[in-house]
Amino acid sequence: MRFTSQTSSDGVSEQLFTLGEIPGVLWTPDGATGTRPLILMGHGGGQHKKAPGILARARRFVADGGFAVVAVDVPAHGDRPKVEEYDRIATANQARVEAGADLAPLIAGFQALVARRTVPEWRAVLDAVQALDHVGAGPVGYWGVSLGCGLGVPFVAAEPRVRAAVLGLGGASASAEAAARITVPVEFLLQWDDERVPRAQGLALFDAFASTEKTLHANPGGHGEIPAFELDSTLRFFARHLG
Amino acid sequence: MRFTSQTSSDGVSEQLFTLGEIPGVLWTPDGATGTRPLILMGHGGGQHKKAPGILARARRFVADGGFAVVAVDVPAHGDRPKVEEYDRIATANQARVEAGADLAPLIAGFQALVARRTVPEWRAVLDAVQALDHVGAGPVGYWGVSLGCGLGVPFVAAEPRVRAAVLGLGGASASAEAAARITVPVEFLLQWDDERVPRAQGLALFDAFASTEKTLHANPGGHGEIPAFELDSTLRFFARHLG
């Protein structure tokens, strides 16, 4: 793990790093020492580790929750090179959809392919970040919606360090199988008028989690329109389960 | 309005009253003076104005939110006399269900009948309570689940003083028509495994609210098993919209 920059603002320290070929960013409270809960955040499709929706939430988790937060670029996103295999598949899927194919199973197949890389990458990121003195081996949470849900569900299912997860904007056809292996508390965000994920798909994914504590928060609006007050709820959810 | 007793514990003052033939209870912060937001709570079927679920929430709203809270017995509940018409209908409905009739429209018809009394009664209660010096004409919220939802939906639809409502454990067949006239923010509680309200009925009622801000909180468990953390959320919801 190699740190390449460190900046600070409003009490939140931001450290850019690379772990092998993975570019990442770690946010912690200024002057933090000792073990604290860690939240891994997975960004959306076409976004990156410092996309506005990630950055705003990460800073809030650190400033108001005292958590450490880490995010990395998914392969072929942010500062990472294109992946020719992904481009080939995306082009082929586009052609299939134009020929009338159903989009959902194509997305599911693609996310499963990417998850085969991100699950081990994210586990390695946890190993490295939890070895730092100002993070340590405390409880871990996961936050991710949309692609961050599609990649997050298999990650949370595979990684026993994760004790609580906020997921959402994903559907059962992509994620139900892995969701049925998740038993930690889940807060699931569903947009009632999601133009990308059919409502029944989102409800079926919520239904699939094996967790005895799971809570569905559904709000009107499209895929990108999660209301601001859900961030307050997310912070309290993590505080309750990781604090 | 005639007060019949006043007690206090843990900073919460409790005043029993009658308004005409309606027995009620008003909770306020000890020593409260001046105008404050008021929450009207509707109890469940077979319950009453001081049922444990009402009492615990009311005390929390007062102690942590500084609100005034009022609850009254629904006709034929608590300290109120039986209503022969209701008994006749309940007996007839029971016989119809045993003969194979669908329960949902029977409940809908019965709740509509009771609401014809409770809507004007509850409006009179607001008038009387808001005339008190330590309550005043501040913003009003409504809280009610199960029967408290079935009676609450037509009340919230009819009463412009209500600025925000927490509703739940109700279905579209009983309440969708009035729900479509509600435009204030709604937090809607749905129990994923509700043995009395089919899931699709609850989801359809959430869908029916005309409110631009409405949020569905669904949790595993049966009709009576709303998790404790939802009370925290309810308190914040009222604080956000009435505070």
Side-chain angles (χ1 to χ4, degrees):
Chain A
M1 189 180 206
R2 195 167 61 87
F3 287 100
T4 55
S5 84
Q6 171 151 4
T7 55
S8 168
S9 70
D10 296 326
V12 177
S13 169
E14 177 180 298
Q15 295 175 284
L16 293 174
F17 66 83
T18 55
L19 179 70
E21 65 192 45
I22 311 165
V25 55
L26 173 66
W27 295 276
T28 48
D30 276 352
T33 57
T35 299
R36 68 198 56 254
L38 170 66
I39 297 170
L40 175 68
M41 298 185 73
H43 64 72
Q47 298 188 357
H48 59 83
K49 64 186 177 302
K50 285 186 66 178
I54 297 290
L55 193 57
R57 290 178 177 90
R59 296 189 63 88
R60 182 83 194 282
F61 296 154
V62 173
D64 291 357
F67 301 117
V69 180
V70 67
V72 300
D73 288 329
V74 169
H77 288 72
D79 296 329
R80 299 184 72 164
K82 287 187 175 189
V83 178
E84 278 187 27
E85 182 189 14
Y86 295 174
D87 286 348
R88 274 200 310 277
I89 293 169
T91 304
N93 283 350
Q94 183 66 26
R96 285 187 205 173
V97 168
E98 282 165 13
D102 186 12
L103 184 61
L106 300 177
I107 290 178
F110 185 72
Q111 288 186 351
L113 181 76
V114 180
R116 284 209 287 274
R117 283 186 66 176
T118 52
V119 169
E121 285 188 358
W122 294 358
R123 301 183 85 158
V125 168
L126 286 191
D127 292 343
V129 171
Q130 289 200 314
L132 300 169
D133 282 344
H134 63 313
V135 179
V140 174
Y142 177 80
W143 185 97
V145 298
S146 198
L147 178 65
C149 178
L151 302 178
V153 168
F155 172 69
V156 174
E159 178 48 66
R161 281 174 287 187
V162 176
R163 306 257 193 98
V166 175
L167 299 159
L169 311 184
S173 72
S175 303
E177 200 179 346
R181 298 196 304 273
I182 292 180
T183 57
V184 297
V186 169
E187 192 160 275
F188 187 77
L189 300 172
L190 183 149
Q191 287 296 99
W192 202 243
D193 312 295
D194 195 319
E195 70 282 9
R196 295 197 214 168
V197 183
R199 189 182 297 167
Q201 275 283 317
L203 293 171
L205 178 52
F206 173 70
D207 193 51
F209 293 109
S211 315
T212 52
E213 182 180 330
K214 56 181 179 180
T215 187
L216 168 70
H217 286 192
N219 293 287
H223 193 76
E225 299 178 331
I226 295 173
F229 58 75
E230 288 295 349
L231 176 50
D232 299 330
S233 175
T234 294
L235 183 61
R236 287 186 299 266
F237 174 81
F238 281 133
R240 199 159 75 236
H241 294 292
L242 308 179
Chain B
M1 189 179 205
R2 195 167 61 86
F3 286 100
T4 56
S5 85
Q6 171 151 4
T7 55
S8 167
S9 70
D10 296 326
V12 178
S13 168
E14 178 180 296
Q15 296 175 283
L16 294 174
F17 67 84
T18 55
L19 179 71
E21 66 192 43
I22 312 165
V25 55
L26 173 66
W27 295 275
T28 49
D30 276 353
T33 57
T35 300
R36 68 197 56 253
L38 170 65
I39 298 170
L40 174 69
M41 299 185 73
H43 64 71
Q47 299 187 357
H48 59 83
K49 63 186 176 303
K50 286 185 63 178
I54 297 290
L55 193 58
R57 290 178 176 90
R59 295 189 63 88
R60 182 81 194 281
F61 296 154
V62 173
D64 290 357
F67 301 118
V69 180
V70 66
V72 300
D73 289 329
V74 169
H77 287 72
D79 296 329
R80 299 185 72 165
K82 287 188 174 190
V83 178
E84 277 186 27
E85 181 190 15
Y86 295 175
D87 285 349
R88 274 200 310 275
I89 292 169
T91 305
N93 284 350
Q94 183 66 26
R96 285 188 206 172
V97 169
E98 282 165 12
D102 187 12
L103 184 61
L106 300 178
I107 291 178
F110 184 73
Q111 289 186 352
L113 182 75
V114 179
R116 283 209 288 273
R117 285 186 64 176
T118 52
V119 169
E121 284 187 358
W122 293 358
R123 300 183 86 159
V125 168
L126 285 192
D127 292 342
V129 171
Q130 289 200 314
L132 300 169
D133 281 344
H134 63 313
V135 179
V140 174
Y142 177 81
W143 186 97
V145 298
S146 197
L147 177 65
C149 178
L151 302 178
V153 169
F155 173 69
V156 174
E159 177 47 65
R161 282 175 287 187
V162 175
R163 305 256 194 97
V166 175
L167 298 159
L169 311 184
S173 72
S175 303
E177 200 180 344
R181 298 195 304 272
I182 291 179
T183 57
V184 297
V186 169
E187 191 160 277
F188 188 77
L189 300 171
L190 184 148
Q191 289 294 99
W192 202 242
D193 311 296
D194 195 318
E195 69 282 9
R196 295 198 215 168
V197 183
R199 190 182 297 165
Q201 275 282 317
L203 293 171
L205 177 52
F206 173 70
D207 193 51
F209 293 109
S211 315
T212 52
E213 183 182 329
K214 57 180 179 180
T215 186
L216 169 70
H217 286 192
N219 292 287
H223 193 75
E225 299 178 332
I226 295 173
F229 58 75
E230 287 295 348
L231 176 50
D232 299 330
S233 176
T234 293
L235 183 61
R236 286 186 298 266
F237 174 80
F238 281 133
R240 199 159 74 236
H241 294 292
L242 308 179

